[in-house]
Amino acid sequence: MASSPCGNSNFDSGLEIKTRSVEQTLIPLVSQITTLINHKDKPKKSERTLAAIHRVGQAVSLAVGRFVTVGEAIAAENQELKDEMGQACFEARRAGDAIAQLTDVGPATPVQPDGRVTVFSDRTGMVKAARLLLSSVTKVLVLADRIVIKQIITSRNKVLVTLDHLERVSTFQEFVQIFSQFGNEMVEFAHLTGDRQNDLKDEKKKARMAAARAVLEKCTMMLLTASKTCLRHPDCESARINKDAVFHRMRCALEQVIEIVTEARSCGENKILPASIYNGIKDFKSSVECLRENLYSLSPQSMSSHLEALVERTEDFTDSAYTSHEQRQAILGLCQLARQDTQQLVHAWVEAQSVHAKEATDDMEVAILKTCQSVTDLRRELHKVAVGRASDLLKVHGEQLPLRALKAAGAEGNLEAVAELTRTLTEQKEQLVETCRLLCHVSGSEPLEITCIHAEETFHVIGPQIISAAQTLALHPSSKIAKENLEVFCEAWESQLCDMALLLREINDVFEGKRGDKRPYLSLPRPGKHSANLKTAKAVKLDAEEQTSIAKLGLELRLLSSDVDTEVEKWEEQEHEIVRQSQSLASMAYNMHLFTRFPRGEGLLKTTLDLFHQAEVLSEEGLQLCSSLRTFSSQLVDEEKSAVMTEMEKLVALCQQLQMGAKTPVQGKTATFQKVDSSIQTTRSILTVVLSLLPVCNKLNRKYKSERSSLGSPQDWRERQDASTPVKEDGALNNKNSNGFGVKSLEQHMAGLNLLESK
């Protein structure tokens, strides 16, 4: 490595920042360096300004010194990076000392007649020192990030070795011993990958990581019961098939995680994102609108070919046996309209080119607007079809009748009934797989496309696994472990249906422009902690029994939040305050559900303190909903008003109870667990009341809206909605100081520079 990056462009170009933790650490340093460089343009300074610059320069030097000490400690623990890290630390320290020297103003500094002092005579030196400092600090951070990747790879390798041992065990005693080790290794891997997922800047990689980790989480329990079933019934072919499928899926998910963190290119990566209609329409509209700027950027033939390729993708909708005749005709009609509008555009375009026009003519402008509108209408219709079908399927499958019947038939040993129900479940699986494919076409973002593909693959895989588990139970109806195994796979199916409901909500949010950004989470390593403490910091650690208890409550929260989402979707006025606030409550409750899952990693709430803060914010949002309900009820007649007010009073009491509980300090493990349990139970009660209020208010809203419309005066009814503010997708956590989360040892010394203001 060159001694100074100032004259080495390759040094900078090789340091791509891929994680938020590295980026966040550099921000305060860049800010202070910019301050010093900007003041360099004005060599004469007052004594007050001079003193401030001196403080900034000295603070930079001291912070860099502490930062380098941390870097050197990390280097000492990782011999393979010792030389590179040592050189980067040396250059950072040298640059920090140079900046301190350049900003040091001694008593011999000449004072001008106007009382100002001339400083920074060595402008070139300051610029070189600043560049060297930024490059060397970035190098230290990127090298530290390599250690995180190494930890994940090492953890994965340990999991794979133990997985191989698990697959070959032949006795229960050996299995129990090895599975205990496997569980501990998976917990470590889950924490490392959870931190990495939240730290990634690339949203596509983050979505792929989330999908792989979801597979590992669900497959861990499947692996336990499938292996036990196979050990209990070693000669059962369906049990072996069931077990082999789980092990294969776990290995694929582990490999996908490593591909993401190392940026390896697999032969299947190009299949991750098939061409979606949403992206096709977006690209087509962009090409059409570019004609306003350049009439000769592409040929008319390519424009027509682009549209035909787009129309061809709609065959996934029109060729589906589950698409109604009316929907098929609507899609085909819009495709034909898009062709006609495009042909008119091509005709006007060719005419403009024939007269050597330099910009779009009036005829072209009209044709451009019509073409863009027609493909937008096509997208809207496809979205309506895909989302409508998904909603209908979720309603139909919500009762889980085939799964219940399959479990009953298996327990009775009725092979004929199992075979018949297998055909029913297979048809349901095919419907869900196809629906996920349609949702992928209209998802509206690449991360959501990846989530749709994950959902499609999950239904495709779990369907046959449920069937093999049911066949095993039918062959051994008295086997408790075979019954438990079937239950686990059915729960995974139900869990994926819940995930699909949440995915549907996110797709609708994107379509309506409501989606927000999530707060970043940082994952840089700490010296002395790489092997000893790989888990996310927690205020209190719950034992296995407590985690199981909390997880059950969390699952109820998830189901309730999904039910709330379903109810609000039934409202015609999606901007109504009651709808917005109910959605916000459901979103925060879902965050609390993620906290209860074990191992944790993908949620925003990392500690019990975070959970209590979220509960407090949720209670405040609930009280805001109560205020909206009170305003809403003022327009109702006595009986209707009484019904709403009664439920609202329950909601007020519950929100106040949650708020008081969240603010009450506790000490000790038992008290903390009780507070967690109480917070989640009260949140569950709040959602239950909200769920009872939503259909009643929706019915009354439609009724009064209809009456007011007939009177020609709907404006009063909607005044409050026009003034409502957007939902905060993650509650107030977006405003929370991110320094409370994640690992900070490398970044904390640099962050303190923000406190120094130049005058």
Side-chain angles (χ1 to χ4, degrees):
M1 184 175 68
S3 62
S4 172
C6 300
N8 185 354
S9 60
N10 291 332
F11 185 96
D12 293 322
S13 63
L15 295 178
E16 181 186 355
I17 298 174
K18 299 168 184 173
T19 57
R20 298 184 189 277
S21 48
V22 173
E23 186 177 69
Q24 293 286 322
T25 304
L26 290 172
I27 288 174
L29 178 60
V30 171
S31 174
Q32 298 303 323
I33 292 296
T34 302
T35 297
L36 296 176
I37 296 296
N38 288 343
H39 278 293
K40 178 66 190 74
D41 295 331
K42 301 175 182 178
K44 291 185 178 182
K45 309 243 178 339
S46 67
E47 289 186 15
R48 184 180 178 187
T49 301
L50 188 62
I53 293 173
H54 175 71
R55 287 198 304 273
V56 171
Q58 294 300 311
V60 168
S61 178
L62 290 172
V64 168
R66 292 191 295 268
F67 175 84
V68 166
T69 300
V70 175
E72 290 170 342
I74 291 175
E77 297 172 10
N78 297 270
Q79 292 297 315
E80 71 277 12
L81 296 177
K82 186 174 182 179
D83 292 341
E84 281 188 276
M85 184 74 88
Q87 181 66 22
C89 288
F90 171 78
E91 292 186 349
R93 194 186 296 275
R94 188 179 67 174
D97 291 343
I99 288 175
Q101 189 174 14
L102 287 166
T103 56
D104 185 24
V105 181
T109 304
V111 180
Q112 302 298 320
D114 60 1
R116 294 179 177 269
V117 181
T118 301
V119 296
F120 289 156
S121 57
D122 186 5
R123 176 184 176 84
T124 303
M126 173 60 72
V127 173
K128 288 182 66 176
R131 293 184 62 188
L132 175 59
L133 179 59
L134 289 173
S135 295
S136 54
V137 168
T138 304
K139 180 72 171 178
V140 171
L141 292 169
V142 171
L143 288 171
D145 193 59
R146 280 197 218 165
I147 297 168
V148 176
I149 295 173
K150 175 190 169 186
Q151 291 172 2
I152 294 173
I153 293 172
T154 302
S155 179
R156 187 283 306 255
N157 291 341
K158 288 196 296 184
V159 170
L160 276 179
V161 170
T162 310
L163 198 63
D164 289 341
H165 290 164
L166 271 178
E167 196 169 20
R168 294 195 298 267
V169 297
S170 56
T171 67
F172 271 102
Q173 183 178 0
E174 185 184 8
F175 174 80
V176 170
Q177 181 181 356
I178 297 177
F179 190 84
S180 177
Q181 177 187 344
F182 175 76
N184 291 332
E185 291 170 353
M186 281 300 295
V187 168
E188 175 186 295
F189 188 72
H191 282 294
L192 286 171
T193 54
D195 289 351
R196 189 66 178 180
Q197 174 189 320
N198 288 309
D199 198 14
L200 288 170
K201 291 174 61 181
D202 189 307
E203 292 298 326
K204 289 193 294 183
K205 291 178 183 175
K206 186 177 290 189
R208 291 185 63 210
M209 180 77 87
R213 293 181 71 248
V215 170
L216 292 172
E217 179 187 346
K218 292 175 182 177
C219 281
T220 299
M221 182 55 72
M222 295 177 189
L223 184 144
L224 173 63
T225 57
S227 297
K228 286 166 65 179
T229 304
C230 220
L231 286 170
R232 180 62 55 86
H233 309 289
D235 299 326
C236 183
E237 180 67 12
S238 58
R240 185 192 60 77
I241 292 172
N242 185 260
K243 171 190 164 185
D244 289 348
V246 177
F247 275 88
H248 175 72
R249 196 159 185 238
M250 285 204 77
R251 288 191 175 97
C252 290
L254 287 166
E255 189 60 33
Q256 181 172 326
V257 169
I258 299 306
E259 287 173 9
I260 295 165
V261 299
T262 62
E263 300 195 314
R265 295 290 185 267
S266 71
C267 58
E269 184 165 328
N270 292 332
K271 298 179 182 179
I272 290 294
L273 290 180
S276 71
I277 294 175
Y278 169 81
N279 286 328
I281 289 176
K282 183 179 176 182
D283 293 342
F284 179 76
K285 286 178 67 176
S286 177
S287 298
V288 169
E289 290 170 344
C290 280
L291 294 177
R292 293 189 175 106
E293 307 297 329
N294 188 348
L295 299 181
Y296 307 94
S297 57
L298 67 163
S299 67
Q301 292 76 17
S302 65
M303 181 74 71
S304 298
S305 300
H306 194 167
L307 178 67
E308 288 307 315
L310 177 61
V311 169
E312 186 177 347
R313 293 177 207 167
T314 64
E315 291 175 0
D316 282 346
F317 289 79
T318 56
D319 291 353
S320 170
Y322 307 110
T323 301
S324 69
H325 176 72
E326 292 77 11
Q327 291 172 334
R328 185 177 293 107
Q329 291 302 114
I331 294 170
L332 292 173
L334 288 169
C335 287
Q336 186 58 34
L337 179 61
R339 285 193 181 101
Q340 293 172 2
D341 290 339
T342 302
Q343 284 303 314
Q344 291 179 6
L345 172 59
V346 168
H347 180 72
W349 184 8
V350 171
E351 282 190 351
Q353 286 183 331
S354 67
V355 297
H356 306 290
K358 295 182 179 180
E359 58 183 21
T361 62
D362 290 344
D363 288 344
M364 272 193 70
E365 182 61 34
V366 172
I368 288 171
L369 292 172
K370 289 179 65 178
T371 302
C372 289
Q373 184 60 48
S374 60
V375 293
T376 298
D377 291 343
L378 175 60
R379 181 202 167 195
R380 186 177 292 108
E381 180 64 26
L382 295 173
H383 176 88
K384 177 182 173 183
V385 170
V387 169
R389 181 186 300 181
S391 299
D392 292 342
L393 275 178
L394 289 172
K395 291 174 185 176
V396 170
H397 299 332
E399 298 179 359
Q400 306 298 334
L401 295 179
L403 293 184
R404 292 178 189 174
L406 195 60
K407 286 186 280 189
E412 294 169 358
N414 191 337
L415 288 168
E416 291 184 4
V418 168
E420 180 64 32
L421 290 165
T422 291
R423 288 188 285 272
T424 303
L425 185 65
T426 299
E427 183 179 353
Q428 282 192 0
K429 179 207 73 176
E430 290 172 354
Q431 286 181 327
L432 289 164
V433 165
E434 183 179 283
T435 301
C436 290
R437 197 173 300 133
L438 299 188
L439 287 174
C440 183
H441 274 303
V442 301
S443 58
S445 73
E446 289 182 326
L448 287 180
E449 286 179 28
I450 292 170
T451 307
C452 289
I453 293 168
H454 165 67
E456 177 186 341
E457 292 173 348
T458 300
F459 284 123
H460 184 75
V461 171
I462 292 183
Q465 288 178 316
I466 291 175
I467 291 168
S468 60
Q471 290 169 342
T472 302
L473 179 59
L475 291 170
H476 307 279
S478 61
S479 173
K480 291 182 179 179
I481 183 56
K483 183 178 180 181
E484 180 188 359
N485 188 46
L486 178 57
E487 285 283 355
V488 166
F489 283 95
C490 289
E491 286 173 7
W493 178 275
E494 294 166 7
S495 173
Q496 189 56 49
L497 286 173
C498 290
D499 289 345
M500 187 175 177
L502 295 170
L503 172 62
L504 195 60
R505 171 188 159 195
E506 288 194 51
I507 290 173
N508 271 322
D509 285 349
V510 171
F511 184 77
E512 296 168 8
K514 297 179 182 177
R515 185 164 181 158
D517 296 325
K518 297 186 184 296
R519 186 186 51 74
Y521 177 74
L522 313 180
S523 69
L524 284 174
R526 290 179 286 182
K529 301 293 182 180
H530 309 320
S531 303
N533 184 17
L534 293 170
K535 298 183 181 181
T536 306
K538 291 184 281 290
V540 170
K541 182 180 179 181
L542 306 179
D543 60 30
E545 184 178 349
E546 290 168 338
Q547 286 170 345
T548 302
S549 173
I550 294 298
K552 290 178 181 177
L553 285 174
L555 182 58
E556 293 182 44
L557 274 190
R558 175 182 183 163
L559 296 173
L560 281 168
S561 62
S562 180
D563 289 341
V564 169
D565 290 334
T566 301
E567 281 300 326
V568 298
E569 286 173 3
K570 298 176 183 178
W571 283 60
E572 294 176 358
E573 298 177 54
Q574 287 293 304
E575 298 304 310
H576 199 290
E577 283 186 1
I578 293 175
V579 170
R580 286 180 173 277
Q581 288 158 349
S582 299
Q583 285 175 326
S584 183
L585 289 173
S587 178
M588 286 186 273
Y590 183 71
N591 279 340
M592 296 172 75
H593 151 69
L594 289 180
F595 174 85
T596 66
R597 295 173 67 172
F598 183 80
R600 292 190 285 274
E602 63 278 291
L604 289 173
L605 311 181
K606 301 297 175 182
T607 71
T608 51
L609 297 177
D610 301 334
L611 179 75
F612 300 148
H613 176 78
Q614 181 73 104
E616 188 176 342
V617 174
L618 188 146
S619 67
E620 292 170 357
E621 187 73 11
L623 292 172
Q624 289 293 322
L625 174 59
C626 292
S627 177
S628 299
L629 288 168
R630 186 176 287 107
T631 305
F632 176 83
S633 64
S634 65
Q635 306 169 70
L636 307 178
V637 298
D638 292 343
E639 291 183 3
E640 297 168 343
K641 182 176 182 178
S642 176
V644 173
M645 291 296 290
T646 299
E647 292 301 305
M648 188 207 72
E649 287 169 2
K650 293 180 187 176
L651 189 58
V652 169
L654 287 168
C655 289
Q656 290 174 343
Q657 177 184 335
L658 181 62
Q659 193 172 59
M660 290 290 291
K663 290 181 177 180
T664 302
V666 294
Q667 290 184 344
K669 180 180 174 182
T670 301
T672 302
F673 168 71
Q674 291 173 348
K675 183 174 177 180
V676 170
D677 183 76
S678 174
S679 296
I680 295 176
Q681 290 209 42
T682 307
T683 301
R684 179 185 62 182
S685 300
I686 288 172
L687 286 193
T688 302
V689 174
V690 171
L691 194 58
S692 68
L693 276 166
L694 280 170
V696 174
C697 293
N698 186 20
K699 180 180 178 181
L700 294 172
N701 186 42
R702 287 199 305 266
K703 172 185 174 182
Y704 277 81
K705 181 182 176 184
S706 175
E707 291 176 0
R708 288 169 180 261
S709 296
S710 65
L711 295 172
S713 179
Q715 185 60 34
D716 293 339
W717 187 258
R718 292 194 294 262
E719 276 180 348
R720 299 185 314 282
Q721 301 158 32
D722 295 337
S724 59
T725 56
V727 163
K728 297 174 286 186
E729 184 176 343
D730 299 317
L733 283 173
N734 285 322
N735 297 324
K736 190 174 182 180
N737 189 337
S738 63
N739 287 341
F741 292 81
V743 179
K744 305 185 293 183
S745 292
L746 274 178
E747 60 264 32
Q748 63 186 355
H749 302 306
M750 306 309 299
L753 292 174
N754 276 332
L755 302 175
L756 295 168
E757 295 293 333
S758 59
K759 304 294 182 182

